[in-house]
Amino acid sequence: MEKGTTVTIRPARNILGSLRVPGDKSISHRYAMLAALANGTSRFDNFAPGADCQSTLSCVASLGCKIERDEKGTVVIDGLGPQLQAPTAALDCGNSGSTMRMLSGILAGQSFASELIGDASLSRRPMKRIVEPLTQMGADIRTVSGECAPLKIQGARLRGIEYRPAVSSAQVKSCVLFAGLLAEGSTRVEEPVRTRDHGELALRAFGAEVEREKGSVIIRGGQTLRPLEASVPGDISSAAFFLCAAAIFSDSNLVIDGVLLNPTRSALLDVLTAMGSRISMLRVEESHGELVGTVSLVAGQGGPLVIAGAMTARLIDELPVLAAVAPYTAGGLEVRDARELRVKESDRLSAVTTNLRAMGATVDEREDGWKIAGRQSLHGAEIQAFDDHRIAMAFAIAALKAEGETLIHGTDCVAISYPSFFQDLEKLVER
Ligand code: S3P
């Protein structure tokens, strides 16, 4: 990736048009990992194009699976079944927390030792949340200071456990379920707050039986996976940037086709509706358990909004862009219970505050969120991406309604999830 690119964003008059967004990152990671464990060849169209999912593919290739990828976004993976091949070097997860945390569940159940490494940001992120359950299942995992990567994993014959994670995290849930698939007996993960369910849906799509019982998910170990052919739905967390942009211009009209509408991921649509937008969903279909459809948005004015508790968990990746546009809304935004944002690719609470203040906004940052008043006017400024794709994209959106030009430094990181983001944004912007 090119380092340090600066992009200039000029103010816009409106957001108009229709678009498809790249394949969903969360689903692409899981499909690639489970394809490795399936007996036979899987094929995925519209596989997520970003560097994060490429990290997963590279790791899967290092574990002995043959992978082909074409320019149209189709990925073909030859699975090896439950036992993969020992890698000859450390597995590089790049910037991707999903790769490191979920792949650890699979590596814990292998008969070999492996090492997972990542970039500077990933090497600071908390890993105890997966080390704890995998150790209980029988794996031996060494970390730096009991918490951080590099992770050295000695695989083992795992045993099923009953686990209640201390933090609500879909990555941890998937990690434990993937290990559970390779373990003896049953594994139950109890969720304090319901998180995205792509791990469960993907396991079922590959032929495994997974049960949901009240707040728990249960998998029986020793089940074999069959290969899958699927098209990955458009990433709603990528669509979120354009939806939020459309929501702040009174004459906007935006249509996004083929986008993921899984209810554990689509809370943004409820929030934008509460903020006054008129949203419709058309042609909704199911694809391997995931809902997919077309979303259209026409802007309007709404009231103040408070996001807390379970709602915060459901919106975790959309909060930076919601906060970045909050000063332009009529009612403003308060976010609580979002401490997890401090341990994402950057400290997202502080990154958003710093950048909003640079643009002249008044922001009250708390330990677990922000309070941001509505009806504020922002001005163009010099913005830092903090090596975080979602911060770079969130402020490209905030800049559209600021007075004067905004320079966003370090935009190369958008390649983590959405390499063509700036080109796609330009297609929708009217000046
Ligand atoms: C993800 C879960 C979330 C999210 C991340 C992707 C997933 O992380 O922030 O971008 O695919 O399961 P946590 O589970 O750690 O909250």
Side-chain angles (χ1 to χ4, degrees), residues 385-408:
F386 294 99
D387 276 332
D388 185 334
H389 54 132
R390 296 203 201 278
I391 297 298
M393 294 188 278
F395 280 88
I397 302 305
L400 296 174
K401 213 178 169 158
E403 196 177 309
E405 280 183 359
T406 296
L407 298 182
I408 307 185

Side-chain angles (χ1 to χ4, degrees), residues 20-343:
R20 270 180 185 269
V21 289
D24 188 74
K25 188 157 92 72
S26 292
I27 295 176
S28 297
H29 281 300
R30 289 165 171 86
Y31 279 1
M33 290 182 200
L34 294 179
L37 299 178
N39 294 301
T41 301
S42 294
R43 181 193 158 97
F44 309 117
D45 292 331
N46 202 36
F47 191 85
D52 263 11
C53 290
Q54 183 54 49
S55 293
T56 289
L57 291 180
S58 303
C59 290
V60 164
S62 301
L63 292 163
C65 299
K66 189 174 149 240
I67 296 182
E68 280 169 30
R69 180 169 204 172
D70 69 17
E71 332 70 66
K72 287 201 218 124
T74 299
V75 168
V76 177
I77 302 176
D78 286 345
L80 293 181
Q83 281 303 312
L84 304 174
Q85 280 171 20
T88 52
L91 298 164
D92 190 352
C93 304
N95 189 243
S96 174
S98 295
T99 308
M100 186 170 278
R101 294 191 179 125
M102 297 195 286
L103 198 59
S104 294
I106 292 175
L107 294 171
Q110 302 298 312
S111 56
F112 50 77
S114 52
E115 184 179 10
L116 291 165
I117 57 172
D119 69 5
S121 146
L122 183 53
S123 304
R124 283 192 296 269
R125 295 181 64 187
M127 293 296 148
K128 198 165 151 197
R129 54 187 67 189
I130 54 131
V131 172
E132 199 178 79
L134 295 178
T135 306
Q136 280 180 28
M137 293 177 90
D140 179 17
I141 308 187
R142 300 286 146 95
T143 56
V144 176
S145 320
E147 180 62 281
C148 292
L151 302 182
K152 290 193 173 141
I153 303 183
Q154 176 58 60
R157 285 185 66 139
L158 302 178
R159 49 187 178 269
I161 56 167
E162 296 201 351
Y163 194 65
R164 184 180 158 87
V167 276
S168 316
S169 159
Q171 294 174 353
V172 173
K173 176 174 57 171
S174 290
C175 165
V176 177
L177 291 176
F178 291 177
L181 177 75
L182 303 173
E184 267 173 38
S186 280
T187 294
R188 173 193 286 263
V189 183
E190 194 188 324
E191 293 198 88
V193 168
R194 185 162 189 194
T195 62
R196 62 188 76 188
D197 60 358
H198 306 304
E200 299 91 297
L201 296 178
L203 280 159
R204 285 194 192 126
F206 279 86
E209 278 174 31
V210 180
E211 281 164 52
R212 174 161 272 282
E213 212 176 69
K214 291 193 197 121
S216 296
V217 187
I218 304 145
I219 188 163
R220 183 167 37 82
Q223 302 185 63
T224 50
L225 301 186
R226 56 168 186 256
L228 175 70
E229 296 210 351
S231 178
V232 179
D235 195 327
I236 189 163
S237 301
S238 297
F241 297 102
F242 307 129
L243 290 166
C244 286
I248 56 174
F249 288 96
S250 52
D251 292 328
S252 62
N253 195 335
L254 174 67
V255 176
I256 303 193
D257 289 317
V259 69
L260 179 74
L261 293 173
N262 176 321
T264 64
R265 288 284 300 285
S266 55
L268 177 75
L269 304 180
D270 303 329
V271 166
L272 292 177
T273 303
M275 284 177 153
S277 296
R278 274 189 292 122
I279 294 186
S280 8
M281 285 185 257
L282 314 159
R283 294 186 285 279
V284 180
E285 291 173 359
E286 198 191 306
S287 168
H288 300 287
E290 296 287 3
L291 291 184
V292 191
T294 294
V295 169
S296 80
L297 183 148
V298 177
Q301 292 241 316
L305 198 78
V306 179
I307 298 176
M311 196 63 172
T312 298
R314 288 173 65 203
L315 282 162
I316 198 75
D317 291 338
E318 289 71 59
L319 291 172
V321 65
L322 272 172
V325 300
Y328 301 125
T329 61
L333 173 70
E334 182 176 346
V335 175
R336 296 191 213 126
D337 305 317
R339 232 169 258 105
E340 269 295 293
L341 288 182
R342 296 211 182 270
V343 291

Side-chain angles (χ1 to χ4, degrees), residues 354-383:
T354 304
N355 285 332
L356 275 179
R357 285 185 183 150
M359 297 178 81
T362 303
V363 180
D364 176 10
E365 181 183 328
R366 285 103 184 245
E367 198 245 325
D368 68 341
W370 315 269
K371 185 160 185 186
I372 304 168
R375 298 189 194 284
Q376 303 192 51
S377 301
L378 307 192
H379 55 73
E382 300 218 13
I383 293 300

